[in-house]
Amino acid sequence: MNAVESLYQSVILKHSRAPRFRVELGQGAAACHCRNPLCGDDVTVQWRAGPAGAIAEIGFTAEGCAILIASSDLMAESVLGLDRDRALKKARAFRAMLDDGPEIAEPTLASFAALRDYPARKRCATLPWQALESLMSGDMKCQS
Amino acid sequence: MNTPDLAAIRAQFPILSEKIYGKDLVYLDNGASAQKPRAVIDAMVHAMEHQYANIHRGLHWMSERTTDVYEQTRDLAAGLMNAASREEIIFVRNSTEAINLVAHSFGRHLLKPGQAVLISEMEHHSNIVPWQMLRDACGIELRVAPITDDGELDFPAFEALLADGKVGLVAITHMSNVLGTYLPAERVIQTAHAAGALVLLDGSQAIVHRAVDVQTLGCDFYAWTGHKLYGPTGIGVLWGRKALLEAMPPFLGGGDMISSVTFAHSEWARVPHKFEAGTPAILEGIGLGAAIKFVQNLGYDAIAAHEAALTEYGLAHIGEIPGLTIWGHAKDRGGVISFTMDGAHPHDIATLLDRQGIAVRAGHHCAEPLMRRLGLNATARASFAAYTTYGEIDALVAGLRRVREFLA
């Protein structure tokens, strides 16, 4: 089994088939929508802050491939409870990792580094993180 | 083509012996671009090494010889399409440029506001966007003929859209790059002409797989591109009836397309040069000549027979995979098979096949309106060429079964 097949088998399938965070948070939640016009991948990330400003609720809706769905789900799982700064740092580290930066510490997220060899697929993994980055930085221009 | 013939054909394509991730390359993305035979590579390298200069205006040996070889391609292209004269062959960069040329020089100048251009639901973006630009700039109406669920032109609807006599041009694909559908071209052309409309055929896919005779077809413009016909990128052909080409103003202005220039006024060169501004794709033109000879040496009868058999085999075996849907069931169809798999996004299919050395296309295939008509965002697509083998289709089927085990 090659690296990409391993990625699919170990991470992507679980999170794309039964994504826990694929939910709409409804009215009042801040949302950012990102689209990749090259392939039609489309994701909206929503969140609500708790009393201390940390991510108390997060969810996404998406149309696209298994990598997009799994990456969105894992992202939500891994940033739930983080404050804005830490979530923003993680988003930047994830995107940097796919641009040949260092692998990040969490093994499930790090496994997405296998997509470095697939320029056309990197965006599938980074699209939800891009939306999160916009939400956390307050810069709502989601470049797609 | 029997097996020894096929082996001999494949031996002419150096790239086909490349390995991808240590596996034999199974190249099934020919609808996007075909690989290049040794003759094309050699013709271009030979020109660069031994016989190259700018063409049409040099008064030296190198320029004259290079002009001769480049212009031979015009004769070869005229022969390939059975054009009435070599002046009807205009070199362009690709089909997109050919269609833009017609939209500009014919559409903006010879169509009148209130007239319409009629396309179909199964067009490539290259045969949609230029007409939208014409519509928005000049008040030309854009009409779209629907297709049936099988992926054929809905002929009664097509006739109805022509009925008011306002359609000045039907611009339509000769073979769909997604569904593989061949247009009943002669019937379409006769019907359009009877309603007073001219016809442009987008032959980007069709001319690769079957002989095209523009005089028998009776069309008015025919566009195609070299890189799908085993030739280089950056060179394509617009064929047009000479009287039409003569009535049309130039597309781009510059060198080579004039007969005289003063600051007050310029006179245009005669066709085809009127439409060929600037230094053309000389090396690519020379390469295209070699590609046309390659196709003629194989013969369209042999190519069409081989690909028809492959397509039948591919449809049967790919169609047997559980959970897999093939899109496009026209009675007359070519070697382009688009499919989706339950529970598997086409991009995931393509990535997992790639790791097995199998190259297919996945996405909207530059035909987003068609995807919407089918209720899809994307499909995966396998497309065949003269060098495609049954073994490659078997590899695809095995690869898809493996993908299904993974994803579905």
Side-chain angles (χ1 to χ4, degrees), chain A residues 4 20 25-26 32 39-41 44 50 53 63 69 73 81 83 92 101 106 110 124 129 137 139 143:
Chain A
V4 167
R20 284 170 49 214
L25 299 190
C32 182
C39 67
D41 274 359
T44 299
E63 192 60 56
I69 309 295
D73 198 51
D83 63 27
R92 288 179 176 152
E106 287 168 65
C124 309
W129 289 95
S137 67
D139 172 13
Q143 318 91 342

Side-chain angles (χ1 to χ4, degrees), chain B residues 71-263:
Chain B
E71 285 295 328
Q72 276 169 22
T73 300
R74 204 182 301 276
D75 295 313
L76 287 162
L80 186 79
M81 310 174 74
N82 192 30
S85 89
R86 69 189 309 279
E87 283 81 30
E88 294 181 333
I89 301 293
I90 299 164
F91 289 129
V92 288
R93 279 188 301 152
N94 44 41
S95 301
T96 298
E97 186 171 287
I99 295 168
N100 274 275
L101 191 162
V102 176
H104 183 276
S105 296
F106 174 79
R108 289 189 185 224
H109 298 277
L110 298 182
L111 289 178
K112 307 272 181 296
Q115 281 194 291
V117 171
L118 175 56
I119 62 175
S120 84
E121 272 183 324
M122 56 180 166
E123 300 308 318
H124 189 283
H125 293 165
S126 62
N127 198 29
I128 300 173
V129 180
W131 307 116
Q132 286 176 332
M133 293 165 75
L134 176 70
R135 175 196 65 193
D136 296 344
C138 301
I140 302 292
E141 187 191 347
L142 180 57
R143 297 182 181 178
V144 183
I147 57 167
T148 66
D149 290 342
D150 278 345
E152 310 216 34
L153 181 68
D154 180 338
F155 216 88
F158 173 72
E159 286 178 307
L161 286 162
L162 288 165
D164 64 6
K166 288 186 177 171
V167 175
L169 181 73
V170 172
I172 194 163
T173 183
H174 196 181
M175 175 187 173
S176 165
N177 68 313
V178 176
L179 304 171
T181 308
Y182 276 102
L183 192 75
E186 289 185 40
R187 188 174 166 215
V188 163
I189 292 160
Q190 284 162 13
T191 307
H193 283 174
L198 300 182
V199 178
L200 177 151
L201 291 181
D202 173 0
S204 309
Q205 299 290 334
I207 201 166
V208 181
H209 308 291
R210 290 186 190 174
V212 168
D213 180 330
V214 288
Q215 296 192 68
T216 303
L217 283 169
C219 55
D220 303 286
F221 298 105
Y222 197 99
W224 56 279
T225 191
H227 71 94
K228 296 188 201 290
L229 191 87
Y230 313 104
T233 50
I235 184 86
V237 167
L238 172 69
W239 169 86
R241 288 189 186 282
K242 197 169 175 192
L244 270 172
L245 297 176
E246 284 173 341
M248 286 157 52
F251 177 36
L252 302 173
D256 236 27
M257 52 74 72
I258 43 76
S259 62
S260 78
V261 176
T262 67
F263 283 119

Side-chain angles (χ1 to χ4, degrees), chain A residues 28-43:
Chain A
C32 182
H33 171 235
C34 280
R35 184 166 193 273
N36 180 358
L38 290 179
C39 67
D41 274 359
D42 194 297
V43 65

Side-chain angles (χ1 to χ4, degrees), chain B residues 197-404:
Chain B
L198 300 182
V199 178
L200 177 151
L201 291 181
D202 173 0
S204 309
Q205 299 290 334
I207 201 166
V208 181
H209 308 291
R210 290 186 190 174
V212 168
D213 180 330
V214 288
Q215 296 192 68
T216 303
L217 283 169
C219 55
D220 303 286
F221 298 105
Y222 197 99
W224 56 279
T225 191
H227 71 94
K228 296 188 201 290
L229 191 87
Y230 313 104
T233 50
I235 184 86
V237 167
L238 172 69
W239 169 86
R241 288 189 186 282
K242 197 169 175 192
L244 270 172
L245 297 176
E246 284 173 341
M248 286 157 52
F251 177 36
L252 302 173
D256 236 27
M257 52 74 72
I258 43 76
S259 62
S260 78
V261 176
T262 67
F263 283 119
H265 180 70
S266 295
E267 296 284 331
W268 312 140
R270 288 150 55 133
V271 292
H273 301 295
K274 178 170 78 175
F275 295 105
E276 296 179 352
T279 296
I282 299 169
L283 295 164
E284 291 78 0
I286 290 169
L288 180 62
I292 293 171
K293 285 186 201 163
F294 167 80
V295 167
Q296 289 176 325
N297 285 339
L298 287 186
Y300 273 113
D301 288 347
I303 293 172
H306 174 61
E307 291 181 358
L310 277 177
T311 304
E312 193 179 332
Y313 185 83
L315 287 169
H317 288 79
I318 296 168
E320 274 177 357
I321 298 169
L324 192 140
T325 305
I326 290 173
W327 297 89
H329 298 280
K331 281 189 209 86
D332 191 12
R333 58 143 30 249
V336 167
I337 301 179
S338 281
F339 54 89
T340 52
M341 190 188 278
D342 292 346
H345 191 282
H347 291 147
D348 296 315
I349 296 173
T351 296
L352 289 166
L353 286 176
D354 175 62
R355 274 285 163 167
Q356 302 175 52
I358 302 167
V360 298
R361 176 92 183 259
H364 52 52
H365 312 291
C366 295
E368 282 190 62
L370 174 58
M371 290 293 121
R372 243 166 254 131
R373 163 67 179 82
L374 301 173
L376 301 169
N377 290 316
T379 69
R381 181 189 74 180
S383 49
F384 309 146
Y387 45 67
T388 304
T389 66
Y390 293 95
E392 288 180 308
I393 294 174
D394 292 341
L396 172 67
V397 170
L400 286 171
R401 289 186 186 278
R402 188 178 165 98
V403 170
R404 186 175 148 71

